[in-house]
Every structure is written in C-alpha cells, then in structure tokens.
Amino acid sequence: MKLNNQSVKKLRKDFPIFENQKELVYLDSASTTQKPKQVIKSIVDSYETTNANIHRGIYDLSQKATKKYENSKKIIAKFINTSEKEIIFTKSTTESINLLAYTLPSILQKEKDEIVLTEMEHHSNLVPWQQLAKRNDMKLKFIKIKEDFTLDLEDAKNKITEKTAIVSLTHISNTLGAINPVREIFKLAKKNNSITVLDAAQSIAHMKVDVKKIDCDFLVFSGHKIYAPMGIGVLYGKKELLEKLSPFNFGGDMIKSVTLEGSEWNTIPERFEAGTQNIEGAIALGEAIKYLEKIGVNEIGKWEKELTDYSAKELNQIKGVKIYLPKKHSGILSFNVENLPTHDVASMLDDYDICIRAGHHCNMPLMKKLRISGTARISFAFYNTFEDIDKFIKAIKEIMGKVK
Amino acid sequence: MKHNDLNERMYKEHIMELYKSPNNFGELKNPTHRHTEYNSFCGDEVTINLLVNNAKIKDAKFSGSGCVISTVSSSLLTNKIKGMKVEEIKKLSKVDMLKLLKIKINPARIKCVLLPLEAVMGALR
Ligand SMILES: Cc1ncc(COP(=O)(O)O)c(C=O)c1O
C-alpha cells in the first residue's frame, strides 16, 4: 500500500485512540505504539470465543486456543523468515535478553570471556550483560560511536577477537535513530566464533528484518512496539543453539516427564515457555503483524523517514534548536532546545496534547558521551501525518517564545 | 483539548516569568547551613544556602541547574522561608509546595516541585 498523507489519514481510523483523543499528537511510538482495532478485537475475541489453557486440554476449546497460539508463531516466523520451532514467546525484549544472559553460559567456550556491546545500547541490552559478566567473571567491551553518531567499524574490528564470547547490539538506536551495520559486525563476530544477539526492539516495526540475511544467532523484540499488546515479546534463536541451551524457567509445560527425583525437558521451543503463557497477547501479536504486512513494512519505513526528514528540516530552521540525527536513520529524532531543560520541553508540549519523550531514554552512558543530560525525542509510526509535525513545530516555536 | 483550557496548563505566565528572573538565585557569603539535593529523573541539582540566627531564617538562596519547575519552586520556597522559624519550616509538606506554585502539576513532575524542599530539609538536618 502506498503511504502518503491522505492514505495515512484513512488508516488512522483503525486506531480508536485517535477517535477518543481528537487533539492527540502522539510522537512517542518508539516508546510504545498505539493499537489498531484489529488487535484490540483479537484480544476480546480470545476471551470471548476461545479462552482456555493451551497444550493441556483434550477438549475442543483448548485445541482452538492452541491452534491460534501456534498459528501466531507461524506468522511471526514467516515475518522474520524462519521456522516456528525457533520462536519463543517471552514478556518483552528485556525478558528475552535476560533469558539469554542466564542461559548462554551453558554453551560458551571456557577460553572466551569477553562480551562486546556498543556505546548506544538501551539499558536492557546492557544491565543483564553487566550482571552476567559479574557472575561469570567476564569482561565487557563497547564498540565506540563516532562524531556522526554511527558505530566505529574500525573499533569493532579491534574489540571483536577470538576472546569474544557474545556480541549483542541494537539494530536501531532508540535515542539517535541510527541504523547500525549489523551484518558487518556479525560477520566479524562469526569469524571469531562468537554468539550474536540482535536487539530488534526499534527495527522490527520499521524495516524488513530477515534473520537469514542478518545471520544472527538470536534476535529479540517486544510486541508493544509493533502495534501489539504489552506483556508479549519474542526470542528467536537458531535451532541448533536452542537445543543445546538449558532452560531458564522451570515448571509446567516445559517438561516431557517428571518424577519426584528429576525431569526430562520438553523439545524446543516449549522448553523455554514454562507455565501458562500470555496466550491472548501472543495471538494478538500475530494479528498485529498481519495488519502491518497488509501495509508493508518497507513502505512504513519509507513514510516514517519522510516524516523524520521533514521534522529535521523544520527544526533546523529554528534558531536555538540542536538536532542529533545520523545520516542513516529511522523514524527517531533527538533534539535540544536552548535554555529549556528537556523535561520542560516535554511538559510544555503536553499542554498542547503533544506526547514526546524527554530524558536519557534508558541510555545514560550515551548521554554522558554526548556530554548532555538528555534529549527531547520524537519518534514516528506510520499513523503520523504532516499535520502532526506542523502542530509540533508551531508549539515548539511558541514555547521558545516564552523563554525569550 | 488541554491547550484550549488555560487553567489546565502547567506553564502559566507567572511560572515562565519567575523562571527567567528567579528570586534568591546564587550563594550566600557566610551560610550557616548548606545542602545539595539531586533528582535523578531529570538530572536536576539544587543547592540551598541558609543563614540561621536564633532558630530563624535570616536569609536563603539557591543555586544549581534545574528545570523550569524546580527553579520556580526553589525561588518561591526561598522567598517563603525567609523570616520563618526553623521548627515551622520542618513542618512544610508537599501540599504547601503545591499551594506556592498555584498551578496543576503533572504527577511525573512532583519530584521537581519537592526538590528544593528536600534540599532545605537536608540543610537543616
Ligand atoms: C533498543 C531497545 N531495546 C530494548 C528495549 C526494552 O524494551 P521493553 O521495555 O519492551 O522490554 C527498548 C525499549 O525502549 C529499546 O528501545
């Protein structure tokens, strides 16, 4: 579907929040996206028509719920070009990364004791690895970012060595919108037999993500950033690696047989899905992806970039506004306003019903590197229009007038 | 909708004016009490200088880098406590601070309002 200001206005009707909040200008989709009625309806449908626990009931209702759950996995698997055997449902990106940080040590080689991340990681792709490093006496290394906010590939070559056990990085920076050269970095990692992890939280809804092309061992994302509900996330892992990993959570459904003395694990992916799952969330995530694919993820990315470039052009014309935008970027734009702390910018825009994010964006080390305490950040989804940006720019100008 | 209703706005004229030219900004030459308080949420930092004599505040100043709300709150609080007894200051609460500002505060920003009060309490401890 071709996206332009007109077609987007039609698609916006799918999102009840814009009907209920007529003045709302939502520029915080990197934090969480709004939900289309197709997804909301799917949640209601699950409870109203197929509510039962999965994998357990002999009866038809449970079979129906199981089928919808399994089908959602197929949709997700196809979306990232893999098999449903390699899709594990979790709560979120954060939980997926924690699962890896706790289970990967069982398959790491002894002589490899370094974890390579980048200077732009979200705290959720940093803190779990810091803890792993502490537990297992490993070392953390960070690929530097350059003046133009891109990753320093020369530095990556120095940091990724035969001692590197794990390379984990974000596909797109949640603060700067930089699209990272993940294939190049993972090639370096593979040359050194390192495990590769991709944090796709910020890319999954905005560009084609193909695990075969990227060639990563693991990939993680959150449903709520791709038009699906909160509390559902995904961990993709290569089958041969998942089979070797020991489980993270123990309990029901992840076992094949249990005696009082011990248990035998279920096959993958169920081995990693202990206990009752967020079934309606999992099903709704499949619906969200179906919805998004009808529009086309590449088309969405193009439209969001157009909105971002227009915003950058408008902001650049305002004296006293500094923007932080790498050349190769997605629909995320960070900026600062002279003489106005970022939290005030966000609060003042809230007076206009404009939602933006302010602060360190769970990126404190990056802020330190840029020598700022935070940024104001706008981020787009396909439902944003040029009118949204015009209202935002007008409000920024008014706000700046107040501190003159 | 919010922006049509001026009463709902946080950033009213009197707030912005006070932010641009706050009262009591700076350091005292010979403070008897001094304390710095931080707000990790937005990186604000407020330092309070007090001159206490006979259990009363003779003079008060504030400094540091803050957002609009904490700057205005500091300015209003330092005005208010000048001449007050230390014992009375220790009874000041969140409600008193909100009364001073005379605006609706978004819950996410309450910390910014309270930061100078915490700094004063810290100084008097
Ligand atoms: C790049 C990145 N990684 C991880 C996360 C964490 O996602 P969640 O809070 O859904 O676990 C975010 C969310 O902001 C993110 O932007």
Side-chain angles (χ1 to χ4, degrees):
Chain A
M1 188 184 292
K2 178 98 189 97
L3 289 183
N4 54 41
N5 218 44
Q6 265 150 9
S7 58
V8 163
K9 274 188 197 160
K10 272 193 210 126
L11 286 169
R12 258 172 98 88
K13 298 213 167 79
D14 287 338
F15 292 78
I17 195 133
F18 298 126
E19 284 298 310
N20 296 325
Q21 310 263 347
K22 289 257 187 328
E23 305 288 331
L24 182 68
V25 176
Y26 189 73
L27 301 179
D28 196 20
S29 293
S31 187
T32 195
T33 57
Q34 297 300 338
K35 320 302 174 199
K37 59 183 184 229
Q38 289 82 345
V39 168
I40 299 168
K41 185 172 174 292
S42 148
I43 302 168
V44 175
D45 276 354
S46 282
Y47 284 118
E48 291 188 347
T49 65
T50 55
N51 183 46
N53 217 327
I54 55 165
H55 295 153
R56 295 177 190 182
I58 304 278
Y59 48 87
D60 186 52
L61 194 64
S62 169
Q63 303 290 328
K64 277 192 180 128
T66 307
K67 203 166 164 203
K68 276 167 78 174
Y69 182 86
E70 297 295 336
N71 189 45
S72 173
K73 257 189 196 176
K74 282 188 191 144
I75 296 168
I76 296 161
K78 199 162 154 249
F79 185 59
I80 61 170
N81 190 22
T82 185
S83 132
E84 65 269 23
K85 290 274 169 233
E86 299 180 309
I87 302 290
I88 294 159
F89 282 127
T90 64
K91 264 193 343 227
S92 59
T93 305
T94 303
E95 199 192 37
S96 298
I97 296 173
N98 275 283
L99 187 157
L100 290 174
Y102 274 100
T103 56
L104 281 180
S106 65
I107 60 166
L108 297 179
Q109 293 160 24
K110 283 240 158 38
E111 63 281 10
K112 288 180 174 285
D113 64 352
E114 292 181 358
I115 303 167
V116 175
L117 310 172
T118 78
E119 286 183 334
M120 63 167 86
E121 296 313 311
H122 188 281
H123 294 166
S124 77
N125 192 32
L126 167 59
V127 184
W129 303 119
Q130 284 175 341
Q131 292 303 310
L132 167 61
K134 254 194 204 161
R135 282 194 304 273
N136 288 31
D137 201 17
M138 297 174 83
K139 238 170 68 191
L140 289 177
K141 284 186 165 178
F142 300 91
I143 301 170
K144 283 197 180 125
I145 58 170
K146 296 191 289 190
E147 290 289 306
D148 62 359
F149 312 124
T150 61
L151 284 181
D152 187 339
L153 279 175
E154 284 309 306
D155 191 47
K157 280 177 200 156
N158 293 329
K159 301 241 158 101
I160 300 172
T161 66
E162 71 271 14
K163 298 191 75 175
T164 308
I166 301 163
V167 175
S168 182
L169 83 159
T170 190
H171 202 173
I172 293 181
S173 154
N174 66 305
T175 301
L176 302 169
I179 304 174
N180 289 325
V182 293
R183 278 176 66 182
E184 281 84 340
I185 289 174
F186 286 161
K187 260 187 210 151
L188 289 173
K190 280 299 142 199
K191 254 193 228 156
N192 290 288
N193 282 322
S194 321
I195 302 272
T196 54
V197 181
L198 185 63
D199 176 353
Q202 291 299 344
S203 59
I204 193 74
H206 309 282
M207 62 191 282
K208 184 71 202 152
V209 174
D210 179 326
V211 294
K212 297 269 160 29
K213 271 207 188 120
I214 294 167
D215 193 21
C216 52
D217 295 326
F218 298 96
L219 175 142
V220 300
F221 66 89
S222 298
H224 71 94
K225 290 183 200 284
I226 180 166
Y227 310 101
M230 294 172 177
I232 187 76
V234 167
L235 166 66
Y236 153 82
K238 278 188 185 153
K239 194 163 168 267
E240 60 271 26
L241 289 172
L242 288 179
E243 259 156 8
K244 281 192 250 165
L245 281 189
S246 49
F248 175 46
N249 286 325
F250 301 89
D253 232 23
M254 53 79 63
I255 42 79
K256 198 186 277 168
S257 68
V258 179
T259 63
L260 286 178
E261 289 73 33
S263 311
E264 202 183 324
W265 309 142
N266 204 337
T267 51
I268 61 159
E270 286 76 21
R271 185 185 304 167
F272 296 96
E273 294 177 350
T276 298
Q277 298 295 299
N278 176 359
I279 298 167
E280 80 286 2
I283 295 168
L285 175 54
E287 284 303 315
I289 289 173
K290 257 170 47 190
Y291 177 83
L292 175 141
E293 283 195 296
K294 256 190 248 155
I295 302 165
V297 71
N298 285 329
E299 193 58 40
I300 287 174
K302 251 199 290 181
W303 173 242
E304 290 164 347
K305 183 157 185 300
E306 208 176 316
L307 293 173
T308 312
D309 291 342
Y310 176 68
S311 310
K313 192 183 109 231
E314 292 290 312
L315 282 173
N316 269 329
Q317 282 170 10
I318 306 174
K319 204 171 155 267
V321 172
K322 179 174 170 47
I323 70 172
Y324 309 86
L325 191 66
K327 225 191 201 150
K328 202 168 166 218
H329 62 82
S330 67
I332 291 174
L333 198 171
S334 264
F335 66 98
N336 265 314
V337 177
E338 205 173 53
N339 296 328
L340 255 189
T342 60
H343 283 84
D344 292 304
V345 175
S347 277
M348 291 171 102
L349 287 171
D350 183 44
D351 280 346
Y352 294 80
D353 275 332
I354 298 172
C355 309
I356 74 157
R357 233 344 240 283
H360 55 61
H361 317 292
C362 298
N363 252 176
M364 286 171 87
L366 176 62
M367 294 298 129
K368 200 166 162 198
K369 165 115 187 180
L370 299 176
R371 290 203 195 83
I372 49 181
S373 66
T375 69
R377 180 193 76 182
I378 55 174
S379 58
F380 297 107
F382 75 84
Y383 44 62
N384 288 116
T385 61
F386 283 118
E387 282 84 347
D388 285 342
I389 300 168
D390 291 340
K391 283 183 200 163
F392 159 72
I393 295 290
K394 185 163 170 269
I396 287 280
K397 284 179 181 160
E398 272 185 42
I399 286 166
M400 290 180 76
K402 290 185 189 183
V403 275
K404 279 233 177 72
Chain B
M1 275 183 286
K2 248 186 271 169
H3 66 275
N4 290 330
D5 185 354
L6 288 174
N7 289 326
E8 293 285 316
R9 283 194 178 185
M10 238 163 89
Y11 293 82
K12 296 199 176 136
E13 199 112 330
H14 71 281
I15 297 290
M16 293 317 293
E17 285 311 312
L18 209 45
Y19 174 64
K20 280 187 269 181
S21 40
N23 305 143
N24 314 316
F25 187 80
E27 309 261 339
L28 289 177
K29 267 206 196 83
N30 39 14
T32 51
H33 298 70
R34 193 169 186 284
H35 185 72
T36 304
E37 201 62 50
Y38 303 90
N39 176 353
S40 60
F41 178 63
C42 53
D44 279 3
E45 177 188 326
V46 172
T47 299
I48 292 280
N49 282 236
L50 299 174
L51 182 62
V52 181
N53 194 340
N54 276 336
K56 256 189 178 174
I57 306 291
K58 287 279 167 234
D59 205 356
K61 276 190 186 284
F62 79 95
S63 61
S65 61
C67 62
V68 172
I69 301 300
S70 74
T71 304
V72 170
S73 179
S74 301
S75 175
L76 292 166
L77 180 65
T78 44
N79 267 353
K80 182 181 170 77
I81 61 175
K82 274 195 235 174
M84 269 176 83
K85 284 189 189 137
V86 169
E87 282 319 302
E88 279 169 9
I89 292 172
K90 285 190 172 165
K91 285 185 217 145
L92 290 177
S93 68
K94 179 169 137 184
V95 178
D96 298 310
M97 294 306 292
L98 291 175
K99 271 191 202 147
L100 273 182
L101 265 80
K102 296 200 193 76
I103 51 166
K104 250 201 161 139
I105 293 285
N106 176 319
R109 305 301 301 276
I110 293 281
K111 270 191 136 172
C112 311
V113 176
L114 297 182
L115 193 64
L117 183 62
E118 281 161 15
V120 168
M121 296 301 184
L124 292 175
R125 212 170 286 136

